[in-house]
Amino acid sequence: MKFNKSSLLSSLAAAGIVLGAVAPVLAHAAGPAAVDNTGQNHAFNDDGTVTKLAVNTPAAYLSQVGNSYATSTEDNNDISGSAQGRSDAQVRLVAGYLTLDDVPDFNFGTVAVGSTAHLVNNTGRIADDGNSQGVLQVTDSRSSTPASGASGASQDGLGYHLTVRLGQFYKLDDTTGAYTDSAFSGFSLNLPQLDTTSRDSNGKLVVNADPKTSPTLFKISVPSDNTTAPTFLNAPKNHSYGTTSVNLTSGIDIGLATDSTAPKGAYDAPIYWLLMAQPTA
């Protein structure tokens, strides 16, 4: 995971994230039969021949170049046949981690100096950890009772909290868009009070939480002093298991109070989303 100098238009996640490698393909592993051709009549081969299928015919895989399953014989009036193929989906699961899955980018558009801007969209300025869907997501797969216990894993979670810190806004060069040496601390990011019943302007749920999770989200104002870091999301111990996803999009009241002393022009600042592995007091 890369941690680049980033911006309010492209935010930065400040937490350890567990990335699982894709499991290797298993050939001829124990499990269901490779393919069941019951009900198939014929297969067309890549050499132009037609093969009568038998159950579990290895040579009848659709992955063979040019191979197809046919639903009937040469009788054009036969509508009783069927064709069945089987593919697979693979995934590797891990447990026992607290992960910061997604953090959003914020774009507040263009406003007058000293006024409060409202979120326009979630497009970012530079490549970093921010996403353009406005999604903030945390997953807790830790359990107070491990899987090796007498009754198995408890799936209750150990609790966590997430803070937000806003860096100084740097003025961008009007021609190149590059950062200049001019930095301003008079901005502040305002995030609204949300809960699991909150909906955006289109009626879509803003907070989606696993049934085992009881998250609390706080209304916060974060000054661009690169120091203040209020808690935005908290989940208590024994009630944090699963995934909590928050849609921080233009459909809710997200604002940026701008610095009245800053000259006109484009500005950019980093946001740090810090996930801590225990709840607040």
Side-chain angles (χ1 to χ4, degrees), residues 163-169 184-185 187 221-231 270-272 274:
T163 65
V164 183
R165 178 165 56 91
L166 180 61
Q168 288 184 308
F169 275 81
F184 295 85
S185 302
F187 294 78
S221 181
V222 191
S224 57
D225 58 10
N226 205 31
T227 301
T228 306
T231 296
I271 302 177
Y272 302 91
L274 181 61

Side-chain angles (χ1 to χ4, degrees), residues 73-263:
T73 65
E74 292 180 300
D75 182 356
N76 291 331
N77 293 319
D78 184 355
I79 59 172
S80 62
S82 65
Q84 174 180 281
R86 201 193 86 175
S87 61
D88 68 290
Q90 66 167 311
V91 64
R92 185 176 185 178
L93 303 180
V94 297
Y97 294 96
L98 174 66
T99 61
L100 181 58
D101 305 325
D102 292 290
V103 293
D105 285 329
F106 290 149
N107 180 358
F108 290 94
T110 302
V111 295
V113 172
S115 63
T116 296
H118 296 281
L119 186 66
V120 174
N121 57 48
N122 298 98
T123 59
R125 175 179 173 78
I126 62 176
D128 59 10
D129 300 301
N131 66 77
S132 59
Q133 291 75 46
V135 176
L136 170 66
Q137 182 170 297
V138 175
T139 298
D140 190 359
S141 63
R142 301 167 299 165
S143 299
S144 59
T145 302
S148 58
S151 58
S154 57
Q155 294 191 341
D156 51 8
L158 299 183
Y160 59 83
H161 73 281
L162 181 138
T163 65
V164 183
R165 178 165 56 91
L166 180 61
Q168 288 184 308
F169 275 81
Y170 282 85
K171 193 176 189 301
L172 305 179
D173 185 275
D174 291 334
T175 302
T176 66
Y179 287 87
T180 68
D181 293 331
S182 300
F184 295 85
S185 302
F187 294 78
S188 63
L189 173 65
N190 302 311
L191 298 179
Q193 178 78 60
L194 301 170
D195 59 33
T196 54
T197 65
S198 297
R199 295 181 180 273
D200 63 17
S201 58
N202 295 316
K204 182 180 178 181
L205 277 175
V206 174
V207 182
N208 296 278
D210 188 276
K212 298 183 180 68
T213 303
S214 299
T216 299
L217 291 98
F218 301 94
K219 179 180 181 179
I220 59 173
S221 181
V222 191
S224 57
D225 58 10
N226 205 31
T227 301
T228 306
T231 296
F232 178 58
L233 172 62
N234 184 69
K237 183 178 181 180
N238 301 328
H239 298 282
S240 65
Y241 193 90
T243 297
T244 295
S245 180
V246 185
N247 298 306
L248 298 175
T249 61
S250 59
I252 59 177
D253 188 21
I254 298 175
L256 177 70
T258 63
D259 191 334
S260 60
T261 67

